[in-house]
mmCIF file of all heavy atoms in Angstrom:
data_model
loop_
_atom_site.group_PDB
_atom_site.id
_atom_site.type_symbol
_atom_site.label_atom_id
_atom_site.label_comp_id
_atom_site.label_asym_id
_atom_site.label_seq_id
_atom_site.Cartn_x
_atom_site.Cartn_y
_atom_site.Cartn_z
ATOM 1 N N GLY B 394 37.862 -231.233 41.037
ATOM 2 C CA GLY B 394 36.757 -231.667 40.124
ATOM 3 C C GLY B 394 35.714 -230.649 40.145
ATOM 4 O O GLY B 394 35.760 -229.657 40.863
ATOM 5 N N LEU B 395 34.761 -230.916 39.341
ATOM 6 C CA LEU B 395 33.702 -229.948 39.063
ATOM 7 C C LEU B 395 32.426 -230.609 38.783
ATOM 8 O O LEU B 395 32.359 -231.623 37.956
ATOM 9 C CB LEU B 395 34.147 -229.170 37.867
ATOM 10 C CG LEU B 395 33.503 -227.870 37.367
ATOM 11 C CD1 LEU B 395 33.667 -226.843 38.542
ATOM 12 C CD2 LEU B 395 34.420 -227.394 36.140
ATOM 13 N N VAL B 396 31.288 -230.138 39.215
ATOM 14 C CA VAL B 396 30.009 -230.603 38.933
ATOM 15 C C VAL B 396 29.396 -229.533 37.984
ATOM 16 O O VAL B 396 29.472 -228.344 38.240
ATOM 17 C CB VAL B 396 29.005 -230.812 40.146
ATOM 18 C CG1 VAL B 396 27.587 -230.937 39.806
ATOM 19 C CG2 VAL B 396 29.453 -231.970 40.961
ATOM 20 N N LEU B 397 28.725 -230.057 36.985
ATOM 21 C CA LEU B 397 27.998 -229.163 36.028
ATOM 22 C C LEU B 397 26.626 -229.641 35.874
ATOM 23 O O LEU B 397 26.328 -230.783 35.561
ATOM 24 C CB LEU B 397 28.670 -229.213 34.532
ATOM 25 C CG LEU B 397 29.919 -228.696 34.260
ATOM 26 C CD1 LEU B 397 30.342 -228.776 32.825
ATOM 27 C CD2 LEU B 397 30.123 -227.288 34.792
ATOM 28 N N GLU B 398 25.693 -228.784 36.328
ATOM 29 C CA GLU B 398 24.320 -229.169 36.464
ATOM 30 C C GLU B 398 23.425 -228.530 35.380
ATOM 31 O O GLU B 398 23.456 -227.258 35.299
ATOM 32 C CB GLU B 398 23.811 -228.853 37.880
ATOM 33 C CG GLU B 398 22.371 -229.245 38.077
ATOM 34 C CD GLU B 398 21.894 -229.238 39.661
ATOM 35 O OE1 GLU B 398 22.779 -229.177 40.516
ATOM 36 O OE2 GLU B 398 20.720 -229.465 39.876
ATOM 37 N N LYS B 399 22.709 -229.292 34.713
ATOM 38 C CA LYS B 399 21.588 -228.795 33.776
ATOM 39 C C LYS B 399 22.072 -227.672 32.828
ATOM 40 O O LYS B 399 21.536 -226.660 32.804
ATOM 41 C CB LYS B 399 20.342 -228.435 34.568
ATOM 42 C CG LYS B 399 19.131 -228.763 33.816
ATOM 43 C CD LYS B 399 17.774 -228.467 34.504
ATOM 44 C CE LYS B 399 16.631 -228.575 33.557
ATOM 45 N NZ LYS B 399 15.316 -228.337 34.075
ATOM 46 N N ILE B 400 22.988 -228.076 32.010
ATOM 47 C CA ILE B 400 23.526 -227.124 30.908
ATOM 48 C C ILE B 400 23.540 -227.934 29.615
ATOM 49 O O ILE B 400 23.540 -229.158 29.689
ATOM 50 C CB ILE B 400 24.831 -226.481 31.143
ATOM 51 C CG1 ILE B 400 25.966 -227.636 31.325
ATOM 52 C CG2 ILE B 400 24.931 -225.677 32.521
ATOM 53 C CD1 ILE B 400 27.393 -227.121 31.216
ATOM 54 N N PRO B 401 23.628 -227.344 28.491
ATOM 55 C CA PRO B 401 23.714 -227.942 27.215
ATOM 56 C C PRO B 401 24.799 -228.997 27.160
ATOM 57 O O PRO B 401 25.930 -228.622 27.577
ATOM 58 C CB PRO B 401 23.742 -226.860 26.172
ATOM 59 C CG PRO B 401 23.180 -225.692 26.804
ATOM 60 C CD PRO B 401 23.540 -225.779 28.126
ATOM 61 N N ALA B 402 24.564 -230.170 26.532
ATOM 62 C CA ALA B 402 25.579 -231.244 26.446
ATOM 63 C C ALA B 402 26.868 -230.763 25.695
ATOM 64 O O ALA B 402 28.000 -231.073 26.093
ATOM 65 C CB ALA B 402 24.945 -232.434 25.803
ATOM 66 N N GLU B 403 26.656 -229.919 24.694
ATOM 67 C CA GLU B 403 27.778 -229.492 23.913
ATOM 68 C C GLU B 403 28.712 -228.596 24.758
ATOM 69 O O GLU B 403 29.926 -228.717 24.606
ATOM 70 C CB GLU B 403 27.273 -228.843 22.558
ATOM 71 C CG GLU B 403 28.407 -228.422 21.727
ATOM 72 C CD GLU B 403 29.346 -229.416 21.281
ATOM 73 O OE1 GLU B 403 28.876 -230.616 21.077
ATOM 74 O OE2 GLU B 403 30.597 -229.201 21.076
ATOM 75 N N LEU B 404 28.130 -227.716 25.435
ATOM 76 C CA LEU B 404 28.933 -226.908 26.363
ATOM 77 C C LEU B 404 29.592 -227.577 27.387
ATOM 78 O O LEU B 404 30.816 -227.429 27.650
ATOM 79 C CB LEU B 404 27.930 -225.813 26.954
ATOM 80 C CG LEU B 404 28.651 -224.814 28.012
ATOM 81 C CD1 LEU B 404 29.689 -224.067 27.454
ATOM 82 C CD2 LEU B 404 27.480 -223.960 28.695
ATOM 83 N N ALA B 405 28.953 -228.559 28.049
ATOM 84 C CA ALA B 405 29.568 -229.519 29.019
ATOM 85 C C ALA B 405 30.712 -230.173 28.594
ATOM 86 O O ALA B 405 31.744 -230.250 29.259
ATOM 87 C CB ALA B 405 28.549 -230.370 29.615
ATOM 88 N N LYS B 406 30.581 -230.733 27.261
ATOM 89 C CA LYS B 406 31.723 -231.498 26.647
ATOM 90 C C LYS B 406 32.922 -230.590 26.459
ATOM 91 O O LYS B 406 34.039 -230.933 26.664
ATOM 92 C CB LYS B 406 31.207 -231.994 25.314
ATOM 93 C CG LYS B 406 32.115 -232.878 24.488
ATOM 94 C CD LYS B 406 31.287 -233.517 23.460
ATOM 95 C CE LYS B 406 32.280 -234.424 22.494
ATOM 96 N NZ LYS B 406 32.929 -233.575 21.437
ATOM 97 N N GLN B 407 32.680 -229.344 26.047
ATOM 98 C CA GLN B 407 33.652 -228.363 25.743
ATOM 99 C C GLN B 407 34.465 -228.087 27.050
ATOM 100 O O GLN B 407 35.698 -228.051 27.063
ATOM 101 C CB GLN B 407 33.230 -227.077 25.061
ATOM 102 C CG GLN B 407 32.846 -227.193 23.673
ATOM 103 C CD GLN B 407 32.083 -225.953 23.160
ATOM 104 O OE1 GLN B 407 32.156 -224.902 23.796
ATOM 105 N NE2 GLN B 407 31.449 -226.119 22.041
ATOM 106 N N VAL B 408 33.740 -227.895 28.130
ATOM 107 C CA VAL B 408 34.340 -227.539 29.425
ATOM 108 C C VAL B 408 35.206 -228.742 29.871
ATOM 109 O O VAL B 408 36.325 -228.666 30.277
ATOM 110 C CB VAL B 408 33.301 -227.283 30.429
ATOM 111 C CG1 VAL B 408 33.888 -227.180 31.862
ATOM 112 C CG2 VAL B 408 32.555 -225.937 30.115
ATOM 113 N N ALA B 409 34.651 -230.049 29.696
ATOM 114 C CA ALA B 409 35.316 -231.184 30.148
ATOM 115 C C ALA B 409 36.695 -231.341 29.462
ATOM 116 O O ALA B 409 37.644 -231.819 29.877
ATOM 117 C CB ALA B 409 34.407 -232.443 30.020
ATOM 118 N N GLU B 410 36.626 -230.881 28.103
ATOM 119 C CA GLU B 410 37.789 -231.139 27.230
ATOM 120 C C GLU B 410 38.806 -230.021 27.517
ATOM 121 O O GLU B 410 40.022 -230.097 27.241
ATOM 122 C CB GLU B 410 37.418 -231.112 25.784
ATOM 123 C CG GLU B 410 36.774 -232.482 25.252
ATOM 124 C CD GLU B 410 36.206 -232.546 23.981
ATOM 125 O OE1 GLU B 410 36.080 -231.432 23.349
ATOM 126 O OE2 GLU B 410 35.734 -233.562 23.543
ATOM 127 N N SER B 411 38.339 -228.885 28.127
ATOM 128 C CA SER B 411 39.246 -227.856 28.367
ATOM 129 C C SER B 411 39.828 -227.754 29.681
ATOM 130 O O SER B 411 40.864 -226.942 29.925
ATOM 131 C CB SER B 411 38.425 -226.430 28.215
ATOM 132 O OG SER B 411 37.599 -226.311 29.342
ATOM 133 N N VAL B 412 39.594 -228.731 30.512
ATOM 134 C CA VAL B 412 40.214 -228.770 31.844
ATOM 135 C C VAL B 412 40.746 -230.224 32.191
ATOM 136 O O VAL B 412 40.310 -231.213 31.524
ATOM 137 C CB VAL B 412 39.220 -228.338 33.042
ATOM 138 C CG1 VAL B 412 38.783 -226.991 32.914
ATOM 139 C CG2 VAL B 412 38.059 -229.387 33.043
ATOM 140 N N SER B 413 41.811 -230.330 32.960
ATOM 141 C CA SER B 413 42.437 -231.547 33.213
ATOM 142 C C SER B 413 41.720 -232.323 34.445
ATOM 143 O O SER B 413 42.041 -233.386 34.743
ATOM 144 C CB SER B 413 43.811 -231.445 33.484
ATOM 145 O OG SER B 413 44.086 -230.486 34.579
ATOM 146 N N ILE B 414 40.932 -231.484 35.216
ATOM 147 C CA ILE B 414 40.244 -232.129 36.330
ATOM 148 C C ILE B 414 38.892 -232.721 35.889
ATOM 149 O O ILE B 414 38.302 -232.246 34.916
ATOM 150 C CB ILE B 414 39.913 -231.102 37.477
ATOM 151 C CG1 ILE B 414 39.118 -229.976 36.949
ATOM 152 C CG2 ILE B 414 41.295 -230.673 38.075
ATOM 153 C CD1 ILE B 414 38.676 -228.827 37.963
ATOM 154 N N PRO B 415 38.557 -233.816 36.613
ATOM 155 C CA PRO B 415 37.171 -234.478 36.157
ATOM 156 C C PRO B 415 35.940 -233.515 36.318
ATOM 157 O O PRO B 415 35.811 -232.953 37.332
ATOM 158 C CB PRO B 415 37.126 -235.676 37.151
ATOM 159 C CG PRO B 415 38.212 -235.607 38.063
ATOM 160 C CD PRO B 415 39.134 -234.527 37.746
ATOM 161 N N VAL B 416 35.159 -233.624 35.353
ATOM 162 C CA VAL B 416 33.829 -232.948 35.279
ATOM 163 C C VAL B 416 32.776 -233.928 35.422
ATOM 164 O O VAL B 416 32.653 -234.825 34.495
ATOM 165 C CB VAL B 416 33.733 -232.096 33.946
ATOM 166 C CG1 VAL B 416 32.380 -231.447 33.888
ATOM 167 C CG2 VAL B 416 34.927 -230.959 33.903
ATOM 168 N N ILE B 417 31.930 -233.714 36.441
ATOM 169 C CA ILE B 417 30.895 -234.673 36.702
ATOM 170 C C ILE B 417 29.545 -233.976 36.312
ATOM 171 O O ILE B 417 29.382 -233.005 36.909
ATOM 172 C CB ILE B 417 30.836 -235.145 38.240
ATOM 173 C CG1 ILE B 417 32.247 -235.361 38.766
ATOM 174 C CG2 ILE B 417 29.857 -236.194 38.554
ATOM 175 C CD1 ILE B 417 32.898 -236.722 38.070
ATOM 176 N N GLY B 418 28.701 -234.669 35.528
ATOM 177 C CA GLY B 418 27.511 -233.989 35.074
ATOM 178 C C GLY B 418 26.236 -234.479 35.735
ATOM 179 O O GLY B 418 26.184 -235.617 36.049
ATOM 180 N N ILE B 419 25.350 -233.644 35.730
ATOM 181 C CA ILE B 419 23.896 -234.129 35.995
ATOM 182 C C ILE B 419 23.028 -233.124 35.187
ATOM 183 O O ILE B 419 23.050 -231.918 35.230
ATOM 184 C CB ILE B 419 23.529 -233.868 37.597
ATOM 185 C CG1 ILE B 419 22.013 -234.027 37.846
ATOM 186 C CG2 ILE B 419 23.975 -232.435 38.143
ATOM 187 C CD1 ILE B 419 21.611 -234.140 39.341
ATOM 188 N N GLY B 420 22.450 -233.859 34.186
ATOM 189 C CA GLY B 420 21.802 -233.060 33.126
ATOM 190 C C GLY B 420 22.635 -232.312 32.263
ATOM 191 O O GLY B 420 22.385 -231.269 31.755
ATOM 192 N N ALA B 421 23.881 -232.904 31.970
ATOM 193 C CA ALA B 421 24.970 -232.273 31.217
ATOM 194 C C ALA B 421 25.488 -233.069 30.085
ATOM 195 O O ALA B 421 26.601 -232.825 29.639
ATOM 196 C CB ALA B 421 26.006 -231.720 32.122
ATOM 197 N N GLY B 422 24.750 -234.159 29.835
ATOM 198 C CA GLY B 422 25.120 -234.947 28.685
ATOM 199 C C GLY B 422 26.196 -235.973 28.900
ATOM 200 O O GLY B 422 26.633 -236.229 30.025
ATOM 201 N N ASN B 423 26.658 -236.605 27.774
ATOM 202 C CA ASN B 423 27.560 -237.751 27.992
ATOM 203 C C ASN B 423 29.003 -237.413 27.641
ATOM 204 O O ASN B 423 29.825 -238.342 27.603
ATOM 205 C CB ASN B 423 27.077 -238.926 27.017
ATOM 206 C CG ASN B 423 27.332 -240.289 27.607
ATOM 207 O OD1 ASN B 423 28.046 -240.371 28.641
ATOM 208 N ND2 ASN B 423 26.894 -241.276 26.963
ATOM 209 N N GLY B 424 29.233 -236.165 27.332
ATOM 210 C CA GLY B 424 30.557 -235.855 26.970
ATOM 211 C C GLY B 424 31.500 -235.368 28.123
ATOM 212 O O GLY B 424 32.558 -234.924 27.958
ATOM 213 N N VAL B 425 30.971 -235.642 29.333
ATOM 214 C CA VAL B 425 31.700 -235.275 30.523
ATOM 215 C C VAL B 425 32.466 -236.512 31.100
ATOM 216 O O VAL B 425 32.318 -237.639 30.572
ATOM 217 C CB VAL B 425 30.763 -234.592 31.564
ATOM 218 C CG1 VAL B 425 30.483 -233.283 31.091
ATOM 219 C CG2 VAL B 425 29.573 -235.460 31.954
ATOM 220 N N ASP B 426 33.139 -236.308 32.273
ATOM 221 C CA ASP B 426 33.968 -237.423 32.793
ATOM 222 C C ASP B 426 33.212 -238.315 33.732
ATOM 223 O O ASP B 426 33.838 -239.379 34.167
ATOM 224 C CB ASP B 426 35.205 -236.824 33.458
ATOM 225 C CG ASP B 426 35.937 -235.881 32.524
ATOM 226 O OD1 ASP B 426 36.280 -236.412 31.376
ATOM 227 O OD2 ASP B 426 36.087 -234.671 32.799
ATOM 228 N N GLY B 427 32.000 -237.910 34.215
ATOM 229 C CA GLY B 427 31.308 -238.754 35.086
ATOM 230 C C GLY B 427 29.934 -238.353 35.298
ATOM 231 O O GLY B 427 29.517 -237.166 34.644
ATOM 232 N N GLN B 428 29.001 -239.099 36.022
ATOM 233 C CA GLN B 428 27.646 -238.631 36.198
ATOM 234 C C GLN B 428 27.350 -238.689 37.696
ATOM 235 O O GLN B 428 27.788 -239.540 38.475
ATOM 236 C CB GLN B 428 26.769 -239.606 35.505
ATOM 237 C CG GLN B 428 26.993 -239.619 33.990
ATOM 238 C CD GLN B 428 26.596 -238.447 33.191
ATOM 239 O OE1 GLN B 428 25.792 -237.632 33.673
ATOM 240 N NE2 GLN B 428 27.235 -238.044 32.178
ATOM 241 N N VAL B 429 26.412 -237.836 38.086
ATOM 242 C CA VAL B 429 25.936 -237.883 39.531
ATOM 243 C C VAL B 429 24.404 -237.680 39.497
ATOM 244 O O VAL B 429 23.882 -236.993 38.586
ATOM 245 C CB VAL B 429 26.496 -236.659 40.390
ATOM 246 C CG1 VAL B 429 26.230 -235.325 39.721
ATOM 247 C CG2 VAL B 429 26.006 -236.734 41.774
ATOM 248 N N LEU B 430 23.802 -238.513 40.364
ATOM 249 C CA LEU B 430 22.307 -238.379 40.606
ATOM 250 C C LEU B 430 21.967 -238.448 42.046
ATOM 251 O O LEU B 430 22.914 -238.943 42.845
ATOM 252 C CB LEU B 430 21.543 -239.523 39.840
ATOM 253 C CG LEU B 430 21.412 -239.428 38.308
ATOM 254 C CD1 LEU B 430 20.677 -240.805 37.872
ATOM 255 C CD2 LEU B 430 20.580 -238.320 37.913
ATOM 256 N N VAL B 431 20.895 -238.015 42.514
ATOM 257 C CA VAL B 431 20.326 -238.200 43.723
ATOM 258 C C VAL B 431 19.827 -239.609 43.914
ATOM 259 O O VAL B 431 19.040 -240.033 43.037
ATOM 260 C CB VAL B 431 19.242 -237.248 44.101
ATOM 261 C CG1 VAL B 431 18.418 -237.593 45.394
ATOM 262 C CG2 VAL B 431 19.851 -235.707 44.262
ATOM 263 N N VAL B 432 20.417 -240.370 44.745
ATOM 264 C CA VAL B 432 20.166 -241.914 44.829
ATOM 265 C C VAL B 432 18.614 -242.119 44.966
ATOM 266 O O VAL B 432 18.055 -243.036 44.289
ATOM 267 C CB VAL B 432 20.945 -242.527 45.907
ATOM 268 C CG1 VAL B 432 20.552 -242.310 47.243
ATOM 269 C CG2 VAL B 432 20.880 -244.158 45.627
ATOM 270 N N HIS B 433 17.847 -241.280 45.734
ATOM 271 C CA HIS B 433 16.367 -241.483 45.945
ATOM 272 C C HIS B 433 15.717 -241.269 44.596
ATOM 273 O O HIS B 433 14.657 -241.953 44.278
ATOM 274 C CB HIS B 433 15.903 -240.460 46.915
ATOM 275 C CG HIS B 433 16.425 -240.780 48.366
ATOM 276 N ND1 HIS B 433 17.695 -240.573 48.782
ATOM 277 C CD2 HIS B 433 15.698 -241.271 49.455
ATOM 278 C CE1 HIS B 433 17.858 -240.867 50.022
ATOM 279 N NE2 HIS B 433 16.595 -241.349 50.490
ATOM 280 N N ASP B 434 16.321 -240.504 43.673
ATOM 281 C CA ASP B 434 15.598 -240.250 42.323
ATOM 282 C C ASP B 434 15.765 -241.493 41.486
ATOM 283 O O ASP B 434 14.863 -242.014 40.805
ATOM 284 C CB ASP B 434 16.298 -239.064 41.675
ATOM 285 C CG ASP B 434 15.974 -237.746 42.341
ATOM 286 O OD1 ASP B 434 15.096 -237.730 43.296
ATOM 287 O OD2 ASP B 434 16.744 -236.781 42.090
ATOM 288 N N LEU B 435 16.959 -242.045 41.503
ATOM 289 C CA LEU B 435 17.147 -243.234 40.553
ATOM 290 C C LEU B 435 16.472 -244.430 41.063
ATOM 291 O O LEU B 435 16.171 -245.371 40.180
ATOM 292 C CB LEU B 435 18.668 -243.456 40.296
ATOM 293 C CG LEU B 435 19.558 -244.250 41.198
ATOM 294 C CD1 LEU B 435 19.394 -245.678 41.009
ATOM 295 C CD2 LEU B 435 21.014 -243.885 41.159
ATOM 296 N N LEU B 436 16.243 -244.433 42.376
ATOM 297 C CA LEU B 436 15.567 -245.654 42.976
ATOM 298 C C LEU B 436 14.014 -245.449 42.781
ATOM 299 O O LEU B 436 13.295 -246.352 43.132
ATOM 300 C CB LEU B 436 15.850 -245.799 44.404
ATOM 301 C CG LEU B 436 17.418 -246.177 44.668
ATOM 302 C CD1 LEU B 436 17.598 -246.260 46.219
ATOM 303 C CD2 LEU B 436 17.730 -247.601 44.103
ATOM 304 N N GLY B 437 13.565 -244.215 42.396
ATOM 305 C CA GLY B 437 12.152 -244.060 42.245
ATOM 306 C C GLY B 437 11.474 -243.716 43.566
ATOM 307 O O GLY B 437 10.164 -243.960 43.649
ATOM 308 N N MET B 438 12.114 -243.181 44.563
ATOM 309 C CA MET B 438 11.510 -242.931 45.788
ATOM 310 C C MET B 438 10.888 -241.521 45.733
ATOM 311 O O MET B 438 9.885 -241.211 46.390
ATOM 312 C CB MET B 438 12.406 -242.904 46.979
ATOM 313 C CG MET B 438 12.643 -244.387 47.413
ATOM 314 S SD MET B 438 13.967 -244.509 48.686
ATOM 315 C CE MET B 438 12.798 -244.028 50.147
ATOM 316 N N THR B 439 11.378 -240.557 44.900
ATOM 317 C CA THR B 439 10.995 -239.267 44.665
ATOM 318 C C THR B 439 10.097 -239.185 43.508
ATOM 319 O O THR B 439 10.509 -238.604 42.479
ATOM 320 C CB THR B 439 12.173 -238.260 44.594
ATOM 321 O OG1 THR B 439 13.004 -238.813 43.735
ATOM 322 C CG2 THR B 439 12.786 -238.160 46.058
#
Side-chain angles (χ1 to χ4, degrees):
L395 193 57
V396 166
L397 293 182
E398 180 164 351
K399 216 175 165 181
I400 63 165
E403 182 53 37
L404 172 63
K406 181 167 179 277
Q407 286 171 18
V408 172
E410 285 167 356
S411 77
V412 294
S413 58
I414 56 173
V416 173
I417 314 295
I419 170 165
N423 211 356
V425 290
D426 307 303
Q428 299 294 328
V429 58
L430 283 176
V431 166
V432 69
H433 293 70
D434 296 342
L435 85 82
L436 295 175
M438 285 179 81
T439 50

